Amino acid sequence: MTMDGVRALVFDVFGTVVDWRSGVARDAETFLKRHGAGSVSPTAFADAWRRRYSPAMEEIRNGRRPFERLDVLHRENLEAVLPEFGIAPASVPAAELDELSRAWHRLDPWPDAVAGLTRLKARYIIAPLSNGNIALMLNMAKRSGIPWDAILGAEVVKAYKPAPEAYLRTADVLAMRSNEICLVAAHNGDLAAARACGLRTAFVFRPTEHGSGQTTDLHPVQDWDMVIGDFLEMAERLQV
């Protein structure tokens, strides 16, 4: 298919552009050994930390808490998850907790991501539409050469996906109609929320986001505008 009328491609980032699980586990492994938890699986730690991600944002989406950037939520969630692995947060220097919390700034892109985005950028405006905050997205992009045209997402629009405001305010920031924007994501729920706001949709397969035993988002659950194996395939199909 073609993306007739689409001017901008916006991307979910955690799991779609970058491999969050391996990156967090890599940084956690050294930390866990240093604090007497070397027998803990670093990926299990990453998974446990990530499980607190959506509930923390839900407090903000429901209005029970004012907006806070994701770096703040990640840091709070880190302190909350440490006791599950036998580590008392008070026993760890604050600077060390800060450094581990910034693991989310150091995530590696999937192998196709940078090359595919570079090709897509030749025709389309490309930007993250992520729950990650601006500094996090900038640091990640500078480290790995992700060639965004702009940094968009939750901190810009003060709303966390899948709240409709996250998508609608992004269209407003770009001064575009919703149907001039396509969300590219590996998560059916994100795409469904974007579609409900009038965005076009592209599902990309990331079958190991949660490891080899992944059970979610293995297949598209709706007839999305495009279904792709990776960003290079997307560029090929769009003839970029």
Side-chain angles (χ1 to χ4, degrees):
M1 58 85 65
T2 62
M3 284 282 182
D4 292 340
V6 169
R7 299 166 55 198
L9 303 175
V10 295
F11 294 78
D12 172 67
V13 174
F14 299 117
T16 298
V17 176
V18 299
D19 177 3
W20 62 265
R21 189 172 189 259
S22 295
V24 171
R26 177 189 60 219
D27 281 22
E29 183 173 14
T30 302
F31 174 90
L32 291 166
K33 289 177 179 176
R34 187 184 304 126
H35 291 279
S39 62
V40 170
S41 162
T43 52
F45 182 87
D47 291 340
W49 192 359
R50 177 72 172 187
R51 279 195 292 273
R52 294 177 177 270
Y53 171 81
S54 187
M57 291 185 294
E58 188 62 24
E59 292 295 300
I60 294 166
R61 286 192 290 257
N62 285 340
R64 290 190 290 266
R65 181 179 182 179
F67 184 86
E68 288 280 6
R69 65 188 60 172
L70 189 60
D71 272 347
V72 172
L73 303 184
H74 275 156
R75 181 64 163 74
E76 292 175 352
N77 291 344
L78 174 59
E79 290 200 34
V81 81
L82 285 176
E84 294 181 28
F85 297 92
I87 301 172
S91 70
V92 183
E96 191 175 347
L97 292 175
D98 289 342
E99 180 63 16
L100 179 57
S101 190
R102 285 191 291 269
W104 298 91
H105 293 226
R106 297 186 289 267
L107 305 179
D108 293 329
W110 296 109
D112 61 280
V114 173
L117 289 169
T118 300
R119 288 177 61 178
L120 293 165
K121 179 184 171 82
R123 179 179 300 169
Y124 301 96
I125 294 167
I126 64 166
L129 201 177
S130 172
N131 286 329
N133 51 281
I134 296 169
L136 190 163
M137 291 291 116
L138 285 174
N139 290 339
M140 184 188 294
K142 292 291 284 184
R143 177 179 176 273
S144 300
I146 301 172
W148 302 127
D149 288 311
I151 302 293
L152 305 178
E155 190 177 9
V156 176
V157 300
K158 296 295 187 286
Y160 281 116
K161 297 185 299 178
E165 294 82 5
Y167 310 96
L168 295 172
R169 290 176 189 166
T170 295
D172 183 61
V173 167
L174 289 171
M176 294 180 188
R177 299 187 302 273
S178 294
N179 64 3
E180 294 179 302
I181 302 169
C182 177
L183 176 69
V184 185
H187 309 122
N188 286 285
D190 196 358
L191 293 173
R195 173 174 274 179
C197 293
L199 277 68
R200 306 284 287 279
T201 52
F203 178 86
V204 58
F205 287 94
R206 299 298 190 199
T208 60
E209 175 190 354
H210 298 280
S212 59
Q214 181 165 319
T215 59
T216 59
D217 292 310
L218 295 174
H219 306 286
V221 300
Q222 293 190 36
D223 183 20
W224 306 121
D225 294 296
M226 180 177 278
V227 175
I228 50 174
D230 59 30
F231 296 166
L232 291 169
E233 180 185 340
M234 188 175 196
E236 288 291 331
R237 291 177 59 185
L238 293 174
Q239 299 182 331
V240 180

